[in-house]
Coordinates of all heavy atoms in Angstrom, one line a residue:
V1 N 0.8 -1.2 0.0 CA 0.0 0.0 0.0 C 0.9 1.2 0.0 O 0.6 2.2 -0.7 CB -1.0 0.0 1.2 CG1 -1.6 1.3 1.4 CG2 -2.0 -1.1 1.0
L2 N 1.9 1.2 0.8 CA 2.9 2.4 0.9 C 3.6 2.5 -0.5 O 3.7 3.7 -1.0 CB 3.8 2.2 2.0 CG 3.3 2.2 3.4 CD1 4.4 2.0 4.4 CD2 2.6 3.6 3.7
L3 N 4.0 1.4 -1.0 CA 4.8 1.5 -2.3 C 3.9 2.0 -3.4 O 4.3 2.8 -4.3 CB 5.3 0.1 -2.7 CG 6.5 -0.4 -1.9 CD1 6.7 -1.9 -2.2 CD2 7.7 0.4 -2.3
V4 N 2.6 1.6 -3.5 CA 1.7 2.0 -4.5 C 1.5 3.6 -4.4 O 1.4 4.3 -5.4 CB 0.4 1.3 -4.5 CG1 -0.7 1.9 -5.3 CG2 0.6 -0.2 -4.9
A5 N 1.3 4.0 -3.1 CA 1.1 5.5 -2.9 C 2.4 6.2 -3.4 O 2.2 7.3 -4.0 CB 0.8 5.7 -1.5
A6 N 3.5 5.7 -3.1 CA 4.8 6.4 -3.5 C 4.9 6.4 -5.0 O 5.2 7.4 -5.7 CB 6.0 5.8 -2.9
N7 N 4.6 5.3 -5.7 CA 4.6 5.1 -7.1 C 3.6 6.0 -7.8 O 3.8 6.5 -8.9 CB 4.5 3.7 -7.6 CG 5.7 2.9 -7.2 OD1 6.8 3.4 -7.0 ND2 5.5 1.6 -7.1
N8 N 2.5 6.3 -7.2 CA 1.5 7.2 -7.7 C 1.8 8.7 -7.5 O 1.1 9.5 -8.0 CB 0.1 6.9 -7.1 CG -0.5 5.6 -7.6 OD1 -0.1 5.1 -8.6 ND2 -1.4 5.1 -6.8
G9 N 2.9 8.9 -6.8 CA 3.3 10.3 -6.7 C 2.7 11.0 -5.6 O 2.6 12.3 -5.6
E10 N 2.2 10.3 -4.6 CA 1.5 11.0 -3.5 C 2.5 11.5 -2.4 O 3.5 10.9 -2.2 CB 0.6 10.0 -2.7 CG -0.6 9.6 -3.5 CD -1.5 8.7 -2.6 OE1 -1.7 9.0 -1.4 OE2 -2.1 7.8 -3.2
P11 N 2.3 12.7 -1.9 CA 3.2 13.2 -0.8 C 2.9 12.4 0.5 O 1.8 12.0 0.7 CB 2.8 14.6 -0.7 CG 1.4 14.7 -1.2 CD 1.3 13.7 -2.2
F12 N 4.0 12.2 1.3 CA 3.9 11.6 2.6 C 4.0 12.6 3.7 O 4.8 13.5 3.6 CB 5.0 10.5 2.7 CG 4.7 9.2 2.0 CD1 4.6 9.1 0.6 CD2 4.5 8.0 2.7 CE1 4.3 8.0 -0.1 CE2 4.2 6.9 2.1 CZ 4.2 6.8 0.7
N13 N 3.2 12.4 4.8 CA 3.3 13.3 5.9 C 4.5 12.9 6.7 O 4.8 11.8 7.0 CB 2.1 13.0 6.8 CG 2.0 14.0 7.9 OD1 3.0 14.3 8.6 ND2 0.8 14.4 8.2
Q14 N 5.4 13.9 7.0 CA 6.6 13.7 7.7 C 6.4 13.2 9.2 O 7.2 12.5 9.7 CB 7.5 14.9 7.6 CG 8.0 15.2 6.3 CD 8.9 16.4 6.2 OE1 9.4 16.8 7.3 NE2 9.0 17.1 5.0
G15 N 5.3 13.7 9.8 CA 5.1 13.4 11.2 C 4.6 12.0 11.3 O 5.1 11.2 12.2
T16 N 3.6 11.6 10.5 CA 3.1 10.2 10.7 C 3.7 9.2 9.8 O 3.6 8.0 10.1 CB 1.5 10.2 10.3 OG1 1.4 10.6 9.0 CG2 0.8 11.2 11.3
G17 N 4.3 9.6 8.7 CA 4.9 8.7 7.7 C 3.9 8.1 6.8 O 4.3 7.3 6.0
R18 N 2.7 8.5 6.9 CA 1.7 7.9 6.0 C 1.4 8.8 4.8 O 1.7 10.0 4.8 CB 0.3 7.8 6.8 CG 0.4 7.0 8.0 CD 0.7 5.6 7.7 NE 0.9 4.8 8.9 CZ 0.0 3.9 9.4 NH1 -1.2 3.8 8.8 NH2 0.3 3.2 10.5
P19 N 0.9 8.2 3.7 CA 0.6 9.0 2.5 C -0.5 10.0 2.8 O -1.4 9.8 3.7 CB 0.1 7.9 1.5 CG 0.6 6.6 2.0 CD 0.7 6.8 3.5
A20 N -0.6 11.0 2.0 CA -1.6 12.0 2.2 C -3.0 11.5 2.1 O -3.9 12.0 2.8 CB -1.4 13.2 1.2
S21 N -3.2 10.5 1.3 CA -4.6 9.9 1.0 C -5.0 9.2 2.2 O -6.2 8.9 2.4 CB -4.6 9.0 -0.2 OG -3.7 8.0 0.0
H22 N -4.1 8.8 3.2 CA -4.5 8.1 4.3 C -4.8 9.0 5.5 O -5.1 8.4 6.6 CB -3.4 7.1 4.8 CG -3.2 6.0 3.8 ND1 -2.5 4.8 4.1 CD2 -3.6 5.8 2.5 CE1 -2.5 4.1 3.0 NE2 -3.1 4.6 2.0
A23 N -4.8 10.3 5.4 CA -5.1 11.1 6.4 C -6.5 11.1 6.8 O -7.4 10.9 6.0 CB -4.8 12.6 6.0
A24 N -6.9 11.2 8.1 CA -8.2 11.1 8.6 C -9.0 12.4 8.2 O -8.4 13.5 8.3 CB -8.2 11.0 10.1
P25 N -10.2 12.2 7.7 CA -10.9 13.4 7.3 C -11.3 14.3 8.5 O -11.4 13.7 9.7 CB -12.2 12.8 6.7 CG -12.3 11.5 7.2 CD -10.9 11.0 7.5
A26 N -11.4 15.5 8.3 CA -11.8 16.4 9.4 C -13.2 16.1 9.9 O -14.0 15.7 9.2 CB -11.7 17.9 9.0
A27 N -13.3 16.2 11.3 CA -14.7 15.9 11.8 C -15.7 17.0 11.4 O -15.4 18.2 11.3 CB -14.6 16.0 13.3
E28 N -16.9 16.5 11.0 CA -17.9 17.4 10.5 C -18.5 18.2 11.7 O -18.9 19.3 11.6 CB -19.0 16.6 9.8 CG -18.5 16.0 8.5 CD -19.6 15.2 7.8 OE1 -20.8 15.4 8.2 OE2 -19.3 14.5 6.9
V29 N -18.6 17.6 12.9 CA -19.1 18.2 14.1 C -18.0 18.3 15.1 O -17.4 17.3 15.4 CB -20.3 17.4 14.6 CG1 -20.9 18.0 15.9 CG2 -21.4 17.2 13.6
T30 N -17.8 19.5 15.6 CA -16.7 19.7 16.6 C -17.2 19.1 17.9 O -18.4 19.0 18.1 CB -16.3 21.2 16.8 OG1 -17.5 21.9 17.3 CG2 -15.9 21.8 15.4
W31 N -16.3 18.9 18.8 CA -16.6 18.4 20.1 C -17.6 19.3 20.9 O -18.6 19.0 21.5 CB -15.4 18.2 20.9 CG -15.6 17.7 22.3 CD1 -15.7 16.4 22.7 CD2 -15.8 18.5 23.5 NE1 -16.0 16.4 24.1 CE2 -16.0 17.6 24.6 CE3 -15.7 19.9 23.8 CZ2 -16.1 18.1 25.9 CZ3 -15.9 20.3 25.1 CH2 -16.1 19.4 26.1
Y32 N -17.3 20.6 20.8 CA -18.1 21.7 21.5 C -19.6 21.6 20.9 O -20.5 21.7 21.7 CB -17.5 23.0 21.3 CG -18.2 24.1 22.0 CD1 -18.2 24.2 23.4 CD2 -19.0 25.1 21.3 CE1 -18.9 25.2 24.0 CE2 -19.6 26.1 21.9 CZ -19.5 26.2 23.3 OH -20.2 27.2 24.0
D33 N -19.7 21.6 19.6 CA -21.1 21.5 19.0 C -21.8 20.3 19.4 O -23.0 20.3 19.7 CB -21.0 21.6 17.5 CG -20.6 23.0 17.0 OD1 -20.8 24.0 17.7 OD2 -20.0 23.0 15.9
F34 N -21.1 19.2 19.5 CA -21.7 17.9 19.9 C -22.3 18.1 21.4 O -23.4 17.6 21.7 CB -20.7 16.8 19.9 CG -21.2 15.5 20.5 CD1 -22.2 14.7 19.8 CD2 -20.8 15.1 21.7 CE1 -22.6 13.5 20.4 CE2 -21.3 13.9 22.3 CZ -22.2 13.1 21.6
V35 N -21.5 18.6 22.2 CA -21.9 18.8 23.6 C -23.1 19.7 23.7 O -24.1 19.5 24.5 CB -20.7 19.4 24.5 CG1 -21.2 19.8 25.9 CG2 -19.6 18.3 24.6
L36 N -23.1 20.8 23.0 CA -24.3 21.7 23.0 C -25.5 21.0 22.5 O -26.6 21.2 23.1 CB -24.0 23.0 22.1 CG -23.0 23.9 22.6 CD1 -22.8 25.1 21.6 CD2 -23.4 24.5 24.0
R37 N -25.4 20.2 21.5 CA -26.6 19.5 21.0 C -27.1 18.4 22.0 O -28.3 18.3 22.2 CB -26.3 18.8 19.6 CG -26.1 19.7 18.5 CD -25.7 18.9 17.3 NE -25.3 19.8 16.2 CZ -24.8 19.4 15.0 NH1 -24.7 18.2 14.8 NH2 -24.5 20.3 14.1
Y38 N -26.1 17.8 22.7 CA -26.5 16.8 23.7 C -27.2 17.5 24.9 O -28.2 16.9 25.3 CB -25.2 16.1 24.2 CG -25.5 15.0 25.2 CD1 -25.9 13.8 24.8 CD2 -25.3 15.3 26.6 CE1 -26.2 12.8 25.7 CE2 -25.5 14.3 27.5 CZ -26.0 13.0 27.1 OH -26.2 12.1 28.0
V39 N -26.7 18.5 25.4 CA -27.3 19.2 26.5 C -28.7 19.7 26.1 O -29.7 19.6 26.8 CB -26.5 20.4 26.9 CG1 -27.3 21.3 27.9 CG2 -25.2 19.9 27.6
D40 N -28.9 20.3 24.9 CA -30.2 20.7 24.4 C -31.2 19.5 24.4 O -32.4 19.7 24.7 CB -30.1 21.3 23.0 CG -29.4 22.8 23.1 OD1 -29.4 23.3 24.2 OD2 -29.0 23.2 22.0

């Protein structure tokens, strides 16, 4: 999987060492918004 990502020309994250395509998507709901909805 790592070799294929490198051969496809994907950049790798220096901190995690993983390809950019393996990065976790940003959360749609922040923690604070979740708490507000839960309390309501």
